[in-house]
C-alpha cells in the first residue's frame, strides 16, 4: 500500500445499506474496499468460458479509437507473449484529487458511480488474485509483470446536469501502470467507467497468476511497457429502448434492472410507453379515476416514477414518457366516459384479433368532438410534463382507425359542421395537443403513421418510424433503390426539417435474431447517402402484449446490445458485412453477453418460480423462439407481488439501493434543465424546450 503513496488515507466502511458517504470523510484516494461491502457480494454465477486474449474482443459497444503503444511505436496487429497488467478490481485506488477540487456535487455523483462500478467489479472478490501477498505469487516481483497502481479521475465540468439530448458522453481512457479517465462531463465519465469495467473484468488478475499471456493488451512486452488509450464518443445522441408497461405491468424492480443493463450497453433513453387501450396504470392527482378504474392490474405512483427518474439520471439515462392518443385510449373510458368514442362495433380486420378481447379494444379512440376529451388530454399532458424532466413528450398518433369517428353519428355531425374530413379532424386535435406540449416546454414526438398520412407537425417535433416492410421509391432520390416504409418516412421527415428517432426493424416482440438487429441501422436507406444531424438515433421496442416481467430480459438481450453498438460505434455496415471484415463480431457479443450474465445477473431464460436455470450462464441465445418464447396469450397476467414470484424477482434486482448524501443530508438538483431552455422560432410560434424540475434527488 505504501508504494501507492496513499497519504492520509481514511478508511470508510459502508457495511450497512443505511449508511452513507459524508463529504468530510471522503479521502482523495479510494478503492472498492472502501466503497462497498465486498463480503456481501455473491458469487453464485460462475463462467468457465475460455475468453479471448485480445482485449479488443472484450469491448462492447466497440470504442471509436483504440490504440496500444510504447515509447517508440504503436501496435495494430495482434502480438504474442504480452504480460498483461496485474489488476485487482477491489483494491485498485481511484484518485479523486481533481474531482474534489471541482466541488461537492460532482464528488457525490462520482462516488455513486464508483460504487455502482465496484458492485460489479468485485463480483470476483472471492477468487484468487495475483498480487495479494508476496508469498502467494511470484509474478509481482518479476520485471515482466506490472501492476495497475492507481486510476486518476478527472471531469472538466463541476456541474452535475440532468441527462439530455445534448449531453457530452465523450471520454478518454488511458490504461497503464498509472491510468487516467478524463471526461468533459459526468455523463462521459460514466460511459468511460463502463469501458474500464470491461477492461478490469477481462484482465482480472486470476489470469495473470496462471502466467497467461495476451496477444493484445496493456502490460509488458519484452521489457517494454505497453499503454492502452481509448478515445470514445457516441455516434448518435438518442440510443434507447421502448418499454410498454400497459399491456403487462412491469414492477419497478424489473425496470430498474433494465436500466442497469442499458447503462452497461451505453444506452441512454428509456422510452416509457405508459398508457394504451388495455390499461392506464399511471396515477394522476388531477384525474385519479383514470388509473383507479382504467388500470388492468397494478399502478405506478408518482413516488415510483420519481424513483425511476432519479435512478436513470444517476446512470445518465433519460426517461421519455409516452401517452398514446387519440387511438389506443379504450382504458380512458372507465374513468372519463365522455372522453372516448365507444366504437365497439369497429373491430380489427384480422378475424383472430377481432375475437381477442385485448386487440378488439385497440380501435377505440378519443372523441374529438367532445370538449371534455380535449380537456382531459390536456390535463394528463400537463401533469405528466411536470412529472418527467426530459425535454421530449411522446403523444402517440399511431394506428388511428377513422371509422371510430366516421361511423359515430354525433362525431360525423361535428366533422361536417366544421368541414373536416378524417385527416383534418386529426390535424385539429393534434394542433391543440402540440400547443399544450409546447406550453410546458416540451418537444412532441409522434409515430410515423399520422405523419405518413400528411399530418403537419410543428417545429421541433420528432417522428418515430417503425415499419419494417414495403418498397417505396422517393422522388428526392429517383436513382436510389426502393426503401422500406420506415426508412423512407425518416428521409421525408428529415427533408421537412423534422427530427427522427428510428425503430424500424428493431421490435423485440418479433422473433428476429440478434444478427438481424445488427444488420439494420438508424441511417439505413436514403439517409445513408444523405446523412443528417436531424436523425437523432434509434430505439428497440419492448412491446408487452406477450411479454411480462418473466421473459422481458431474455427478449431484450442480447438483441438490444446489437442495437447499442450500431448506435454508439462507428459501424457503417451490418452483420453480414461485419462478419466478412471482422469475423470476431459474433465472439465479441458472446463475451459481452456472458459478462452481462455474470456481473448483472441478467437472465437469458424466462424466469420461473423455484427455478434457478434462468440465472445460469447460457451460451445459446440465437434460437429465440425456443430459448425465450413469447407468452402464449396476453390473457396471462401474472402478479409480480405474489409469493411465488416476489422471491424470483428479488434475485434479479441489481445492486440494490446505492445511497448518496452530502454531509448526511439529501442533495437536490436545482433547476436541472435550465441551461437547456431554448426557443424555436417561426412556423407555429415559440417552442420552449427543457422542463425545469427543481427537486431531483440523488438518494435512491
Amino acid at each position: 500500500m505504501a508504494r501507492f503513496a496513499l497519504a492520509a488515507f481514511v478508511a470508510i466502511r459502508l457495511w450497512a445499506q443505511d449508511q452513507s458517504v459524508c463529504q468530510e470523510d471522503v479521502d482523495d484516494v479510494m478503492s472498492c474496499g472502501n466503497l462497498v461491502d465486498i463480503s456481501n457480494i455473491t458469487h453464485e454465477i460462475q463462467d468457465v468460458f475460455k475468453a479471448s486474449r485480445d482485449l479488443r474482443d472484450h469491448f462492447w459497444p466497440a470504442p471509436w479509437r483504440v490504440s496500444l503503444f510504447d515509447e517508440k511505436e504503436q501496435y495494430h496487429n495482434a502480438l504474442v507473449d504480452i504480460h498483461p497488467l496485474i489488476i485487482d478490481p477491489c483494491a485498485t485506488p481511484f484518485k479523486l484529487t481533481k474531482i474534489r477540487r471541482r466541488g461537492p456535487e460532482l464528488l457525490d455523483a462520482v462516488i455513486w458511480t464508483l460504487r455502482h462500478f465496484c458492485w460489479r467489479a468485485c463480483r470476483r472478490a472471492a477468487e484468487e488474485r495475483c498480487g495479494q501477498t508476496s508469498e502467494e505469487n511470484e509474478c509481482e516481483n518479476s520485471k515482466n509483470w506490472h501492476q495497475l497502481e492507481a486510476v486518476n479521475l478527472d471531469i472538466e465540468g463541476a456541474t452535475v446536469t440532468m441527462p439530455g439530448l445534448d449531453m457530452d458522453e465523450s471520454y478518454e481512457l488511458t490504461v497503464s501502470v498509472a491510468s487516467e479517465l478524463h471526461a468533459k462531463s459526468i455523463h462521459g465519465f460514466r460511459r468511460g467507467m463502463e469501458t474500464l469495467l470491461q477492461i478490469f473484468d477481462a484482465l482480472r488478475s486470476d489470469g495473470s497468476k496462471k502466467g497467461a499471456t495476451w496477444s493484445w493488451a496493456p502490460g509488458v512486452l519484452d521489457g517494454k511497457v505497453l499503454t492502452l488509450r481509448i478515445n470514445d464518443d457516441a455516434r448518435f445522441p438518442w440510443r434507447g429502448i421502448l418499454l410498454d408497461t400497459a399491456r403487462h405491468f412491469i414492477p419497478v424492480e424489473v425496470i430498474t434492472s433494465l436500466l442497469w443493463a442499458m447503462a452497461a450497453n451505453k444506452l441512454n433513453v428509456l422510452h416509457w410507453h405508459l398508457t394504451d387501450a388495455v390499461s392506464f396504470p399511471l396515477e394522476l392527482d388531477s384525474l385519479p379515476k383514470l388509473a383507479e378504474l382504467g388500470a388492468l392490474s397494478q399502478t405506478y405512483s408518482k413516488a415510483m416514477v420519481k424513483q425511476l427518474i432519479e435512478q436513470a439520471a444517476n446512470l445518465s439515462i433519460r426517461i421519455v414518457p409516452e401517452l398514446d392518443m387519440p387511438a389506443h385510449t379504450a382504458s380512458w373510458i372507465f374513468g372519463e366516459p365522455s372522453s372516448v368514442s365507444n366504437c365497439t362495433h369497429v373491430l380489427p380486420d384480422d378475424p383472430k384479433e377481432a375475437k381477442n378481447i385485448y386487440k378488439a379494444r385497440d380501435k377505440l379512440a378519443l372523441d374529438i368532438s367532445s370538449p371534455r376529451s380535449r380537456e382531459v388530454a390536456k390535463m394528463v399532458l400537463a401533469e405528466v410534463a411536470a412529472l418527467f424532466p426530459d425535454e421530449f413528450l411522446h403523444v402517440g398518433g399511431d394506428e388511428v382507425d377513422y371509422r371510430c369517428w366516421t361511423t359515430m353519428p354525433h362525431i360525423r355531425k361535428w366533422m361536417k359542421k366544421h368541414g373536416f374530413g378524417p385527416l383534418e379532424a386529426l390535424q385539429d386535435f393534434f394542433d391543440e395537443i402540440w400547443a399544450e406540449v409546447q406550453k410546458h416546454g416540451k418537444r412532441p414526438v409522434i409515430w410515423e403513421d399520422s405523419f405518413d398520412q400528411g399530418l403537419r407537425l410543428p417545429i421541433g417535433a420528432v417522428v418515430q418510424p417503425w415499419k419494417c416492410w414495403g418498397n417505396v421509391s422517393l422522388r428526392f432520390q429517383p436513382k436510389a433503390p426502393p426503401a422500406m416504409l420506415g426508412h423512407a418516412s425518416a428521409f421525408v421527415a428529415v427533408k421537412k426539417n423534422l427530427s427522427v428517432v428510428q425503430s424500424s426493424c428493431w421490435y423485440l416482440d418479433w422473433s428476429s435474431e440478434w444478427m438481424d438487429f445488427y444488420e439494420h441501422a438508424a441511417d439505413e436507406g436514403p439517409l445513408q447517402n444523405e446523412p443528417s444531424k436531424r436523425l437523432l438515433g434509434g430505439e428497440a421496442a419492448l412491446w408487452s402484449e406477450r411479454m411480462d416481467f418473466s421473459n422481458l430480459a431474455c427478449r431484450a438481450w442480447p438483441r438490444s446490445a446489437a442495437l447499442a453498438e450500431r448506435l454508439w460505434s462507428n459501424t457503417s455496415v451490418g452483420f453480414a458485412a461485419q462478419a466478412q471484415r471482422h469475423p470476431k463480431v459474433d465472439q465479441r457479443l458472446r463475451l459481452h453477453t456472458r459478462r452481462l450474465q455474470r456481473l448483472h445477473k441478467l437472465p437469458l431464460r424466462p424466469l420461473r418460480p423455484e427455478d434457478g436455470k434462468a440465472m445460469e450462464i447460457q451460451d445459446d441465445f440465437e434460437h429465440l423462439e425456443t430459448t425465450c418464447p413469447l407468452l402464449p396469450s396476453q390473457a396471462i397476467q401474472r402478479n409480480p407481488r405474489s409469493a411465488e414470484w416476489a422471491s424470483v424477482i428479488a434475485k434479479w434486482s441489481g445492486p440494490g439501493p446505492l445511497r448518496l448524501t452530502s454531509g448526511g443530508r439529501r442533495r437536490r438538483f436545482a433547476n436541472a434543465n435550465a441551461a437547456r431552455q431554448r426557443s424555436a422560432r417561426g412556423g407555429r410560434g415559440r417552442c420552449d424546450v427543457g422542463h425545469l424540475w427543481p427537486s431531483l434527488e440523488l438518494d435512491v
Side-chain angles (χ1 to χ4, degrees), residues 268-290:
N268 66 356
V269 177
L270 178 66
H271 170 174
W272 193 350
H273 186 84
L274 285 161
T275 64
D276 212 285
V278 173
S279 183
F280 195 109
L282 179 64
E283 297 176 11
L284 299 175
D285 296 334
S286 59
L287 296 162
K289 293 295 183 181
L290 284 177

Side-chain angles (χ1 to χ4, degrees), residues 323-431:
L323 299 162
D324 204 353
M325 61 178 73
H328 295 279
T329 49
S331 59
W332 299 38
I333 200 170
F334 304 104
E336 286 289 338
S338 62
S339 68
V340 179
S341 173
N342 194 17
C343 57
T344 53
H345 59 282
V346 178
L347 297 172
D349 296 329
D350 187 331
K352 292 183 179 180
E353 291 189 353
K355 295 178 181 179
N356 184 320
I357 60 172
Y358 297 100
K359 296 299 291 184
R361 296 172 63 181
D362 273 353
K363 298 300 180 181
L364 271 66
L366 294 179
D367 186 343
I368 53 172
S369 71
S370 168
R372 180 59 179 171
S373 175
R374 302 185 188 220
E375 180 185 3
V376 169
K378 291 177 183 179
M379 292 171 68
V380 172
L381 289 170
E383 194 161 341
V384 170
L387 181 59
F388 288 85
D390 198 75
E391 62 181 287
F392 294 90
L393 203 165
H394 205 305
V395 292
D398 63 315
E399 299 179 333
V400 179
D401 193 326
Y402 292 139
R403 293 177 298 170
C404 197
W405 297 338
T406 58
T407 61
M408 301 295 282
H410 71 285
I411 299 179
R412 188 168 63 244
K413 181 179 179 181
W414 175 86
M415 291 171 61
K416 183 177 180 181
K417 176 182 176 181
H418 290 84
F420 290 156
L423 181 60
E424 290 79 13
L426 182 65
Q427 183 76 60
D428 180 72
F429 170 79
F430 266 122
D431 283 345

